[in-house]
Amino acid sequence: SSGINAEWPLRPGSQIDIVEYGANFTIDFKVTRGHSDALHTEINVDEIACYKNGEEFQMEAGWHKQCTWNANTKTVSILIICTTDTDTGYYQVRVKNWSGTSISDPLYVETYPHSETSRNCFSLRHTVLSPRSVRLEWDSPRANQNKALIYQIIVQNRAWKENLEPSHTVKLSTVVENLHPGTPYYAYVQSKGDLVGHRIEFNTHEERPGATPTEVRCEAQEGTTSLYCVWNEIPLKERNGKITSYKVKYRLDYEWEFNFTSVDYIRIPDLQPVALYTVQVMGCTAVGCGLAKELQVTTNEDKPLYRPALRYIISGAKNIRIGWVKPAGSFKNMFYIVDCKRKETGLSIFKKNVSDVDAVIAGQAVKSNTEYIVSITPETSQGFGPALSKNVSTLSGCAATRSSFLVNFFSVLIVFNCFYWL
């Protein structure tokens, strides 16, 4: 469907190029017309891209890898200077113009170690000295010449694509300083006469993060005493390495407690209700934890999840006494709505808010020998909980009178006996 095709020229007997480490190699992909088009006789290419093993080939350093379009020869060329073992793989190009896009067939290139005599580039080595410095050493195939060479050292920060100012030396080693802790770098050495070395990669030693996580927020969760904290990552240039975890510290008085998490949020449960907590959030590398972002937040209290347990219920002719157990949970202030309804009509004859765990239902509305429904509903600032509900019947007036008469009779008898013995 495309108006252009990209294909590499077949080489006699093989589709594999074999290249020594330290040598240079070029793959030329010929661009041809995909179909006849009388209106467009010229082959134009608007965009090119190179692929290795199915993934786009990054041309991070032009001296080492180049991908170019030659309008005169109608070819796309991939040039690898001073190949290494990592340059082995399948190579392709993608070309695009007004009529569409075409991707070439892959060409396999294999690289293998060179001999010392055939090497035509530097053998670069490195030793990381500290979080901010590295020692580079190299062997030069022209080091035994009478004329001294000036070597240029190129270092690039891979994390945020920052090139350091190139340095120069006539020696076969140098120390590069003022690097960033815990950061990946590229490095290579070159000299006059296009003599270059293969690129190496290294990481500086890590340090503790130099900044706090950003946009730290902690909120009290509704209906519980938990806190929920969330934050954004530490700025890239302040991480000083790989952030392996976040440490979250919190305290109510003087003693700190803490948790670790590998993600950018955490829930802290089972705290004191309606209490002011101090919370700190910090990022950690393998070396340790860095600066902390501190804030303060007040917890909520639990919403009651369980109904009160009944302790006792006693009925008289004109009153009902009821006691209950406070439901499980963490509360600052708990109130109870005591509601008494006539079972026959469903009308409430007594309703009151209390803070104690017992109550007396009495008054003119309470009739003897009548069935009632008594409910106890717990309430906090977070809402209502499930109610305790019980059916109860008041005593008849006679039963209550007989009970009162017996109580009075025995009281008089006891008093009489006491005076007699005195």
Side-chain angles (χ1 to χ4, degrees):
S1 62
S2 173
I4 51 177
N5 286 335
E7 54 189 13
W8 51 268
L10 293 175
R11 291 168 173 76
S14 176
Q15 299 181 9
I16 299 178
D17 274 4
I18 301 178
V19 187
E20 283 188 339
Y21 297 176
N24 308 335
F25 71 86
T26 303
I27 310 172
D28 292 325
F29 294 83
K30 185 71 174 177
V31 178
T32 59
R33 185 167 300 286
H35 55 75
S36 176
D37 190 337
L39 296 177
H40 299 85
T41 57
E42 182 67 20
I43 297 177
N44 295 314
V45 172
D46 300 330
E47 182 182 307
I48 61 172
C50 301
Y51 291 84
K52 177 184 168 187
N53 298 332
E55 296 184 0
E56 190 163 355
F57 198 40
Q58 299 297 325
M59 303 294 166
E60 285 129 344
W63 64 273
H64 188 251
K65 299 180 177 70
Q66 300 174 11
C67 184
T68 57
W69 159 247
N70 189 321
N72 294 324
T73 61
K74 312 301 180 190
T75 57
V76 177
S77 298
I78 298 177
L79 172 62
I80 306 296
I81 302 174
C82 280
T83 180
T84 68
D85 56 338
T86 60
D87 291 318
T88 293
Y90 290 89
Y91 290 84
Q92 296 170 274
V93 297
R94 173 176 58 81
V95 292
K96 179 182 179 181
N97 71 357
W98 66 272
S99 62
T101 300
S102 178
I103 298 179
S104 70
D105 291 332
L107 174 67
Y108 183 70
V109 176
E110 181 180 356
T111 58
Y112 66 95
H114 60 268
S115 63
E116 289 296 319
T117 56
S118 65
R119 184 175 62 199
N120 66 353
C121 66
F122 305 119
S123 176
L124 185 59
R125 303 174 298 280
H126 75 280
T127 303
V128 177
L129 303 177
S130 73
R132 302 178 186 274
S133 62
V134 63
R135 179 179 181 84
L136 300 176
E137 299 177 286
W138 58 91
D139 300 324
S140 171
R142 301 180 187 175
N144 57 0
Q145 295 180 351
N146 293 330
K147 185 178 180 180
L149 294 176
I150 299 176
Y151 303 99
Q152 184 182 49
I153 297 89
I154 313 296
V155 179
Q156 182 189 46
N157 183 316
R158 290 167 50 203
W160 50 89
K161 308 301 181 185
E162 179 184 51
N163 291 318
L164 278 68
E165 188 71 25
S167 60
H168 299 81
T169 182
V170 295
K171 299 180 180 179
L172 295 178
S173 65
T174 188
V175 174
V176 182
E177 297 181 323
N178 298 321
L179 301 179
H180 202 84
T183 304
Y185 283 90
Y186 295 129
Y188 66 93
V189 176
Q190 64 181 10
S191 69
K192 290 185 177 180
D194 295 327
L195 188 64
V196 299
H198 67 275
R199 183 183 67 183
I200 63 169
E201 301 178 5
F202 64 89
N203 284 60
T204 52
H205 296 324
E206 294 187 350
E207 287 184 348
R208 298 170 184 264
T212 68
T214 58
E215 299 184 27
V216 180
R217 303 182 301 279
C218 284
E219 297 178 350
Q221 291 192 293
E222 283 192 29
T224 73
T225 60
S226 301
L227 294 180
Y228 183 78
C229 300
V230 63
W231 54 87
N232 290 340
E233 291 183 320
I234 298 173
L236 180 61
K237 295 184 179 182
E238 302 295 337
R239 294 176 192 172
N240 295 342
K242 181 181 178 182
I243 302 299
T244 58
S245 63
Y246 293 94
K247 185 178 183 179
V248 181
K249 299 171 60 179
Y250 55 96
R251 70 178 182 183
L252 180 59
D253 296 317
Y254 302 102
E255 186 176 351
W256 287 101
E257 297 183 69
F258 61 89
N259 290 321
F260 285 94
T261 176
S262 59
V263 292
D264 55 1
Y265 60 88
I266 193 172
R267 179 177 177 268
I268 309 173
D270 302 326
L271 302 178
Q272 293 297 316
V274 195
L276 181 63
Y277 277 84
T278 300
V279 181
Q280 292 184 350
V281 181
M282 61 198 78
C284 306
T285 64
V287 177
C289 299
L291 301 177
K293 177 67 176 179
E294 182 174 295
L295 42 80
Q296 292 184 319
V297 59
T298 301
T299 57
N300 289 322
E301 58 184 337
D302 283 342
K303 178 180 178 181
L305 298 179
Y306 306 98
R307 60 176 50 88
L310 181 67
R311 285 171 42 226
Y312 64 86
I313 184 165
I314 304 172
S315 64
K318 293 291 187 176
N319 61 71
I320 302 170
R321 295 186 62 90
I322 185 170
W324 57 90
V325 178
K326 181 179 179 180
S330 188
F331 313 104
K332 180 71 172 180
N333 294 303
M334 171 76 78
F335 295 92
Y336 305 93
I337 301 174
V338 181
D339 191 7
C340 181
K341 297 179 181 179
R342 290 193 64 173
K343 186 174 181 180
E344 182 180 1
T345 63
L347 295 177
S348 178
I349 58 102
F350 181 93
K351 192 170 186 178
K352 188 177 180 180
N353 282 14
V354 299
S355 58
D356 295 328
V357 290
D358 53 27
V360 177
I361 302 169
Q364 295 180 353
V366 181
K367 306 292 184 181
S368 62
N369 200 25
T370 305
E371 290 186 340
Y372 293 95
I373 301 175
V374 179
S375 64
I376 310 297
T377 305
E379 178 188 10
T380 69
S381 62
Q382 299 300 298
F384 299 96
L388 165 67
S389 182
K390 288 294 181 181
N391 294 337
V392 60
S393 298
T394 54
L395 301 177
S396 65
C398 294
T401 302
R402 285 196 299 270
S403 299
S404 300
F405 171 77
L406 291 174
V407 170
N408 293 332
F409 173 76
F410 282 110
S411 299
V412 172
L413 184 60
I414 292 171
V415 171
F416 175 79
N417 287 332
C418 290
F419 279 106
Y420 174 79
W421 288 105
L422 289 173

